[in-house]
Amino acid sequence: MKEMCPNCKSNFAAKDINNINKNSIFIEKQCPSCNKWFCLNKTLTIIKIIGIFLLLITSLLNIFNIKSEYSPVFSSIGLVGILMAIIVTFFGKHETVK
Ligand SMILES: [Zn+2]
């Protein structure tokens, strides 16, 4: 997967990133050409996390048959959630970390 640095606009493969900071939910990566740190847009990161949680919660409700009459509704919400997460992962914009 190709990544683009929001600062110097250079393209590089994800494997070329040497430094990744996973200390917060906003995973920060260091650009291999200009050494600036950047991360996925923070709003999009939150949307992605909400999406994953939606899938998790609705899956658990279905597994334990809680409110099973709403099971198709939960499945649909879970699907929307994971779609949100996938779209953000592949099309989300990166921004430079201040
Ligand atoms: Zn750069």
Side-chain angles (χ1 to χ4, degrees):
M1 201 165 83
K2 285 273 178 195
E3 305 249 9
M4 194 186 77
C5 172
N7 186 53
C8 65
K9 311 285 180 212
S10 67
N11 283 297
F12 44 85
K15 64 175 168 55
D16 292 334
I17 300 168
N18 297 319
N19 293 313
I20 297 176
N21 179 8
K22 291 180 176 167
N23 288 335
S24 73
I25 59 164
F26 308 110
I27 298 166
E28 297 172 359
K29 299 167 182 172
Q30 193 177 31
C31 172
S33 64
C34 70
N35 293 329
K36 274 270 184 192
W37 287 87
F38 65 91
C39 69
L40 191 64
N41 181 286
K42 291 200 157 84
T43 315
L44 291 175
T45 307
I46 290 164
I47 291 171
K48 181 177 162 182
I49 290 165
I50 290 169
I52 292 167
F53 265 99
L54 276 178
L55 180 73
L56 195 71
I57 292 163
T58 52
S59 300
L60 285 173
L61 289 171
N62 281 344
I63 288 165
F64 293 106
N65 261 323
I66 299 161
K67 301 270 181 200
S68 57
E69 65 270 31
Y70 296 114
S71 175
V73 180
F74 293 151
S75 300
S76 311
I77 294 170
L79 186 67
V80 169
I82 200 65
L83 280 176
M84 274 161 50
I86 290 169
I87 290 167
V88 168
T89 303
F90 284 97
F91 302 105
K93 290 263 178 294
H94 287 96
E95 60 185 15
T96 317
V97 179
K98 278 108 205 162

